[in-house]
Amino acid sequence: MDDAIKQRVQVWKDGNYDDAAKQEIARLERENPNELADAFYRNLEFGTGGLRGIMGIGTNRINKYTVGMATQGFANYLLQTYPGGVVRIAIAHDSRNNSRQFAEITANVMAANGIKVFLFEALRPTPELSYAIRHLGCQGGVVCTASHNPKEYNGYKAYWNDGGQLVPPHDKNVIKEVEKIGSVDEVKWSGGEANITIVGKELDNAYIGMVKSLSVYPEVITRQRDLKIVYTPIHGTGIMLVPEVLQRFGFANVHIVEEQAKPDGNFPTVIYPNPEESEAMSIGLKKAKELDADILLGTDPDADRVGIAIKDKQGNWVLMNGNQTAVLAFNYIIEARKAKGIAQKNDFVCKTIVTTDMIDRIAADNNVKCYNVLTGFKWIAELIKEKEASENYIVGGEESYGLMIGSQLRDKDAVSAVALLCEMAAYEKDKGRTLYEKLIDLYVQYGYYKEHLISITKKGMNGQKEIADMMDGYRNNPPMTINGSPVVQLLDYELRKGKNLQTGEEWDLTLPVSNVLQFILADGGKISARPSGTEPKIKFYFSVNTTIKSAADFESIQVHGELDKRIQGIIADMGLK
């Protein structure tokens, strides 16, 4: 253990930390010095989205002290930004271990700084926190969650006055203020309890009313009220609102996956509490098969992501990926608004640059603007704010199982997504069809798009450098062909430049700086390379497509795996295996 780590440990041993923390340090010194070193070798980074890390004692862990210091920095920035008036903040938490404690610490520190706090009485979905910020006229918000990370993790997401997560300049400014807090003695831990208001049912009712207003075809639900729905909250916050929302929509045949219904931060039935993982959906899938249900839906612990499964034409259950779910949702909202006569000329949709381009095709065909933003819902929220005086946002989404329907909150929302996806299933069933058949129809109309994601971690001390070198290589010596198809364009979001590799023509990209590269191929394929900013990890997103003339064409392509082979060819040609 080097001297810098020893010094950090000594600060905790000598400082105003509780006996339990000091006893745990003593235990680790005796039993696991390597873990102690890992817990103290750096300060847990307050990134642009807040904190996320393993729970435990130490400067590199999520605990009441790191949460308190982060909160003091955020409070300082709020008070600097809004001098003279009353500053208000909403605070929520998920079902993870210690989340309630961290939420109460956040509330106490904010309140001790003279900030008016609205603290939810118990766990609530993250999207309700986003809604509450706007509904209560708050200047900021915090939710204690680590989303779909393993059970050892917790986190702290910071929001601004529009209900979206922090974006420039506030993200960097908050980070600066957090980094200025050098000691737990600088934190105002208590003394403002009178500034805390507990909120609950009234806000639930307002939020549920907002979600109910998103329904486009209530009359169809009336006819299809017996649509057989299976829902799992995967031990998370979705249980607080999703069943009631489905009931308010008019669905009367909802089955909860009982093994996963109780909120539990140990997530006892899954390895990862993430609806993107087929394993996390397996118990729900078993129940859906037993009941011969129409649709299965699962939400992650803070209920901002949703995964669904539907039956194919042979009655086999198929787990949809995030791109497929987004295609169905975007198309439904666009088509339904048009059919109901409520579409507006200035309607727009928004997705991230790594989400399927099939959505761009659907929007263009319906004369609806489609904007592309950097990865993360904070950029969708920022675009809505930028456009709200002149354009009308209707739906946004990303490939990682996130949807945001309507603009009354500003983060991904699995609660409203579950309700609308069930309405979509009811709408198709009312016509004697399934959502699966609808998806194939869309493939026939717009082209069959297939996406794939791989994540590569480079281990060891040189991991970050290896990934940086990989990106430099792509940037400075881009491949001219990939898997036999010419690379037509290189889009470099860090340099904010696009280049036609065949003609040499260059143009400016307007999105904020981000270390992402995209290769656009002549055959319509697209590859995106996106390194993590904090870990030695890089993600590659692959998208390929082809035209099909009929549902039979789709089945044939599926059987022969043509698009899968193209993706695997790209991976092999780029040396990513």
Side-chain angles (χ1 to χ4, degrees):
M1 196 184 298
D2 68 28
D3 288 344
I5 298 173
K6 286 178 184 172
Q7 192 175 349
R8 281 202 182 93
V9 173
Q10 198 61 44
V11 167
W12 277 53
K13 289 164 78 170
D14 297 339
N16 287 322
Y17 295 83
D18 62 28
D19 288 342
K22 293 177 181 181
Q23 286 165 15
E24 178 65 0
I25 288 171
R27 185 189 72 79
L28 289 172
E29 282 179 324
R30 290 192 310 272
E31 299 175 15
N32 199 337
N34 287 339
E35 187 180 329
L36 183 68
D38 190 66
F40 280 93
Y41 86 92
R42 63 170 190 160
N43 290 330
L44 187 66
E45 185 182 349
F46 191 98
T48 54
L51 293 170
R52 187 172 293 186
I54 294 169
M55 290 178 279
I57 58 102
T59 58
N60 188 35
R61 296 285 185 263
I62 290 277
N63 51 63
K64 64 184 182 181
Y65 301 108
T66 51
V67 166
M69 291 168 76
T71 303
Q72 185 63 55
F74 190 16
N76 289 350
Y77 183 66
L78 283 166
L79 293 168
Q80 287 168 24
T81 308
Y82 297 100
V86 176
V87 178
R88 297 149 75 93
I89 192 164
I91 298 169
H93 67 87
D94 70 2
S95 59
R96 286 178 179 273
N97 297 331
N98 300 313
S99 280
R100 181 68 193 177
Q101 179 197 15
F102 296 154
E104 288 176 351
I105 287 166
T106 303
N108 287 334
V109 173
M110 288 289 183
N113 280 275
I115 291 169
K116 172 77 173 154
V117 174
F118 297 94
L119 173 65
F120 276 93
E121 63 188 2
L123 72 164
R124 287 297 191 279
T126 288
E128 189 176 2
L129 182 276
S130 176
Y131 175 80
I133 292 168
R134 299 176 64 79
H135 185 74
L136 297 169
C138 294
Q139 282 71 46
V142 170
V143 60
C144 295
T145 177
S147 192
H148 53 281
N149 277 64
K151 65 183 180 181
E152 296 81 13
Y153 285 76
N154 214 318
Y156 177 108
K157 286 204 289 194
Y159 289 76
W160 202 243
N161 61 11
D162 65 333
Q165 288 185 56
L166 299 179
V167 294
H170 306 300
D171 53 358
K172 298 288 195 296
N173 291 343
V174 170
I175 289 168
K176 282 177 193 166
E177 291 301 322
V178 171
E179 287 173 348
K180 284 180 190 174
I181 308 298
S183 161
V184 291
D185 298 329
E186 296 173 47
V187 179
K188 295 177 183 173
W189 293 99
S190 60
E193 288 74 16
N195 289 323
I196 299 174
T197 301
I198 302 297
V199 295
K201 208 67 198 160
E202 336 74 62
L203 250 166
D204 294 345
N205 287 330
Y207 170 79
I208 290 168
M210 180 278 291
V211 174
K212 180 74 172 71
S213 74
L214 300 173
S215 175
V216 192
Y217 282 108
E219 68 278 14
V220 170
I221 297 174
T222 302
R223 292 196 293 271
Q224 297 294 337
R225 64 195 302 270
D226 287 328
L227 183 84
K228 202 176 287 183
I229 299 164
V230 174
Y231 167 67
T232 173
I234 315 181
H235 305 293
T237 60
I239 196 66
M240 303 298 290
L241 291 180
V242 170
E244 188 174 350
V245 163
L246 290 172
Q247 183 190 351
R248 294 265 198 109
F249 262 63
F251 292 109
N253 196 2
V254 178
H255 303 264
I256 309 298
V257 177
E258 291 302 331
E259 301 94 321
Q260 298 177 323
K262 186 180 177 187
D264 187 338
N266 291 315
F267 310 116
T269 66
V270 297
I271 299 168
Y272 297 107
N274 183 356
E276 292 181 76
E277 303 283 344
S278 57
E279 178 266 337
M281 298 286 278
S282 60
I283 297 176
L285 210 47
K286 183 169 176 281
K287 189 178 185 82
K289 287 174 183 174
E290 286 169 3
L291 293 170
D292 191 28
D294 293 300
I295 187 169
L296 162 69
L297 309 102
T299 54
D300 67 343
D302 67 327
D304 64 354
R305 293 168 191 246
V306 60
I308 68 166
I310 53 181
K311 287 182 286 193
D312 67 14
K313 288 202 270 193
Q314 286 74 45
N316 302 310
W317 282 89
V318 182
L319 286 163
M320 296 286 99
N321 63 41
N323 282 305
Q324 291 169 318
T325 305
V327 162
L328 286 167
F330 275 66
N331 183 78
Y332 178 75
I333 299 292
I334 291 169
E335 279 191 352
R337 285 175 63 80
K338 193 186 273 188
K340 279 276 181 154
I342 57 174
Q344 297 178 25
K345 283 184 178 176
N346 62 348
D347 282 350
F348 76 92
V349 300
C350 185
K351 69 178 188 69
T352 65
I353 57 173
V354 296
T355 301
T356 179
D357 291 339
M358 185 172 170
I359 288 170
D360 299 78
R361 292 279 310 274
I362 292 168
D365 196 55
N366 287 279
N367 297 312
V368 173
K369 267 190 191 171
C370 179
Y371 291 100
N372 282 264
V373 296
L374 296 177
T375 305
F377 267 75
K378 64 182 182 180
W379 300 114
I380 298 178
E382 182 72 356
L383 185 80
I384 296 170
K385 188 161 64 174
E386 182 190 317
K387 301 284 180 188
E388 60 191 346
S390 58
E391 296 182 43
N392 182 50
Y393 169 87
I394 55 172
V395 64
E398 63 182 6
E399 48 72 43
S400 58
Y401 290 60
L403 291 166
M404 187 171 91
I405 302 154
S407 64
Q408 293 183 71
L409 49 68
R410 301 294 165 89
D411 205 356
K412 51 186 176 286
D413 180 2
V415 180
S416 61
V418 165
L420 266 291
L421 287 162
C422 289
E423 180 173 305
M424 289 155 55
Y427 180 79
E428 294 304 327
K429 191 173 185 182
D430 204 46
K431 297 195 291 186
R433 297 152 42 86
T434 65
L435 276 178
Y436 187 83
E437 288 171 298
K438 177 62 177 178
L439 183 63
I440 295 172
D441 282 353
L442 293 173
Y443 287 150
V444 172
Q445 190 173 356
Y446 297 110
Y448 175 27
Y449 283 70
K450 184 144 197 175
E451 285 78 27
H452 183 63
L453 166 68
I454 61 172
S455 185
I456 297 171
T457 301
K458 297 286 188 181
K459 291 187 167 57
M461 292 176 66
N462 293 322
Q464 291 277 33
K465 184 177 184 308
E466 285 180 54
I467 286 168
D469 289 346
M470 188 186 291
M471 289 295 284
D472 285 344
Y474 287 139
R475 189 167 270 126
N476 299 322
N477 296 293
M480 298 308 288
T481 64
I482 296 177
N483 194 36
S485 180
V487 179
V488 181
Q489 292 179 10
L490 172 66
L491 306 179
D492 188 332
Y493 293 91
E494 184 163 88
L495 301 179
R496 300 177 81 193
K497 287 285 182 190
K499 184 173 185 179
N500 185 316
L501 297 185
Q502 296 177 327
T503 65
E505 178 199 356
E506 290 193 1
W507 59 93
D508 293 331
L509 301 178
T510 57
L511 297 185
V513 171
S514 182
N515 189 15
V516 179
L517 290 172
Q518 290 188 311
F519 303 99
I520 313 298
L521 307 186
D523 64 7
K526 182 167 82 173
I527 301 107
S528 307
R530 180 174 164 255
S532 165
T534 54
E535 303 170 87
K537 185 189 290 184
I538 183 168
K539 287 182 176 178
F540 287 90
Y541 304 78
F542 307 95
S543 177
V544 295
N545 63 81
T546 190
T547 55
I548 57 174
K549 292 178 180 172
S550 66
D553 269 5
F554 172 76
E555 298 297 340
S556 170
I557 285 171
Q558 287 286 85
V559 168
H560 295 105
E562 289 172 34
L563 294 187
D564 291 310
K565 287 172 187 168
R566 266 171 67 186
I567 289 170
Q568 291 309 314
I570 290 169
I571 292 170
D573 193 28
M574 293 181 74
L576 300 175
K577 283 193 171 177

